[in-house]
């Protein structure tokens, strides 16, 4: 097999090898997301299977002698000549070059957003841990211990007291 059909099959085969289905499945948290993901994977596998079987086979050759016996050689020769003169144009991809730079730019943007998201997630995890620690210690914590962790609040209260500002 050759031509665009072969190229489609090759791309689909490579794409199926590069997808980390199990890794993506581990990231899903809701049952609805798992169902949608299973549907996506099943659909992808069906399309990939169709591409593998439909485009990976050469078309069957025509047995011209069989038709010559039944129809007559003159008519069959005319059809054979017409069949062999048909030229299927090669597919020229003009769309991919237009969108490849945009796609690459989106991938870069995606990586930056992913890094930013991971940093923000890490910051929030630390903040959650601090709040949970504070929640456990709040009933036995003294003001000095609290102000030790939050010196900006101690400075603010000291300034208010020094300036004789009592909040009204």
């Amino acid at each position: 097999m050759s031509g665009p059909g072969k190229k489609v099959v090759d791309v689909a085969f490579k794409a199926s090898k590069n997808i980390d289905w199990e890794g993506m499945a581990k990231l899903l948290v809701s049952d609805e997301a798992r169902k949608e993901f299973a549907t996506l994977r099943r659909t992808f596998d069906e399309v990939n299977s169709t591409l593998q079987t439909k485009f990976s086979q050469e078309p069957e050759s025509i047995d011209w002698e069989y038709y010559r016996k039944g129809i007559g050689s003159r008519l069959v020769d005319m059809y054979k000549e017409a069949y062999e003169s048909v030229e299927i144009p090669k597919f020229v991809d003009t769309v991919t070059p237009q969108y490849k730079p945009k796609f690459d730019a989106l991938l870069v943007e995606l990586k930056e957003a992913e890094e930013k998201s991971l940093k923000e997630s890490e910051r929030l995890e630390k903040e959650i841990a601090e709040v949970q620690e504070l929640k456990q210690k709040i009933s036995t914590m003294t003001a000095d211990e609290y102000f030790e962790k939050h010196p900006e609040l101690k400075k603010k209260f000291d300034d208010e007291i020094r300036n004789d500002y009592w909040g009204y």
Side-chain angles (χ1 to χ4, degrees), residues 77-142:
D77 288 340
M78 186 174 71
Y79 274 104
K80 183 178 179 183
E81 184 180 322
Y83 177 79
E84 290 174 350
S85 69
V86 171
E87 289 188 30
I88 300 173
K90 295 285 184 187
F91 173 73
V92 178
D93 186 7
T94 59
V95 176
T96 302
Q98 293 174 355
Y99 289 100
K100 181 83 170 125
K102 292 178 185 176
F103 182 74
D104 291 341
L106 285 173
L107 284 178
V108 169
E109 189 177 322
L110 174 73
K111 288 292 183 188
E112 291 171 358
E114 179 184 26
E115 289 173 13
K116 186 177 178 182
S117 174
L118 289 173
K119 287 177 184 176
E120 181 66 12
S121 177
E122 190 175 303
R123 185 191 67 77
L124 290 173
E125 292 282 335
K126 287 178 184 178
E127 190 174 322
I128 289 171
E130 288 175 9
V131 168
Q132 287 178 340
E133 181 184 342
L134 179 63
K135 182 179 171 185
Q136 290 174 348
K137 294 180 179 180
I138 196 85
S139 61
T140 60
M141 184 181 278
T142 65

Side-chain angles (χ1 to χ4, degrees), residues 3-112:
K6 175 90 169 125
K7 187 175 181 179
V8 168
V9 171
D10 290 343
V11 169
F13 182 73
K14 288 176 186 174
S16 67
K17 293 293 181 189
N18 293 333
I19 297 175
D20 182 14
W21 294 105
E22 286 75 27
M24 286 192 288
K26 290 177 185 176
L27 299 174
L28 303 175
V29 292
S30 70
D31 288 335
E32 184 179 344
R34 287 187 186 99
K35 289 177 186 175
E36 291 294 326
F37 184 73
T39 303
L40 173 68
R41 185 171 185 182
R42 187 173 44 256
T43 304
F44 180 85
D45 289 339
E46 288 172 4
V47 169
N48 199 21
S49 173
T50 301
L51 288 174
Q52 292 286 342
T53 57
K54 186 175 182 181
F55 292 112
S56 64
Q57 301 171 357
E58 291 288 332
E60 293 181 24
S61 61
I62 298 173
D63 184 9
W64 297 107
E65 292 303 318
Y66 171 79
Y67 290 108
R68 276 194 183 95
K69 292 176 188 172
I71 300 175
S73 64
R74 187 171 172 208
L75 186 60
V76 172
D77 288 340
M78 186 174 71
Y79 274 104
K80 183 178 179 183
E81 184 180 322
Y83 177 79
E84 290 174 350
S85 69
V86 171
E87 289 188 30
I88 300 173
K90 295 285 184 187
F91 173 73
V92 178
D93 186 7
T94 59
V95 176
T96 302
Q98 293 174 355
Y99 289 100
K100 181 83 170 125
K102 292 178 185 176
F103 182 74
D104 291 341
L106 285 173
L107 284 178
V108 169
E109 189 177 322
L110 174 73
K111 288 292 183 188
E112 291 171 358

